[in-house]
């Protein structure tokens, strides 16, 4: 056995991204667009009408519009009436 084996150089292959140079990658563009859209919104958590309840709102930073709200406004109004309890949605006594 040889104590000092000779080390031979190894050829290295270049790794490419899969797209020819100069061609626009649509995947990178869609990721950038998605990141920009996500940065446009912010989450606001408010205390609900009942003790221990919360209202989660997604707001558009540019327009100030409420994009999504959980629970919905209808449910928040029912909770505010005082007759509402979890699981009751329809009043069948009328």
């Amino acid at each position: 056995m040889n104590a000092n084996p000779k080390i031979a150089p190894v050829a290295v292959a270049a790794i490419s991204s899969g797209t020819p140079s100069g061609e626009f990658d649509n995947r990178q563009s869609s990721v950038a667009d998605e990141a920009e859209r996500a940065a446009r919104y912010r989450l606001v958590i408010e205390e609900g009408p009942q003790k221990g309840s919360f209202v989660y709102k997604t707001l558009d930073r540019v327009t100030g519009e409420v994009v999504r709200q959980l629970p919905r406004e209808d449910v928040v109004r029912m909770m505010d009436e005082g007759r509402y309890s979890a699981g009751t949605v329809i009043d069948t006594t009328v």
Side-chain angles (χ1 to χ4, degrees), residues 21-82:
S21 62
E23 184 178 316
F24 186 73
D25 189 358
N26 287 330
R27 289 174 293 173
Q28 289 177 352
S29 173
S30 65
V31 169
D33 290 344
E34 185 65 28
E36 186 176 324
R37 265 184 267 141
R40 183 175 177 155
Y41 301 116
R42 74 179 179 140
L43 176 65
V44 175
I45 303 173
E46 299 175 346
E47 190 173 356
Q50 291 182 345
K51 183 178 180 181
S53 67
F54 297 93
V55 178
Y56 301 88
K57 295 180 181 180
T58 304
L59 298 177
D60 186 323
R61 290 178 189 258
V62 177
T63 64
E65 173 188 10
V66 176
V67 177
R68 183 175 293 150
Q69 176 179 322
L70 294 174
R72 297 181 318 209
E73 289 182 32
D74 306 0
V75 176
V76 174
R77 263 190 258 115
M78 287 191 310
M79 291 168 65
D80 202 22
E81 287 179 1

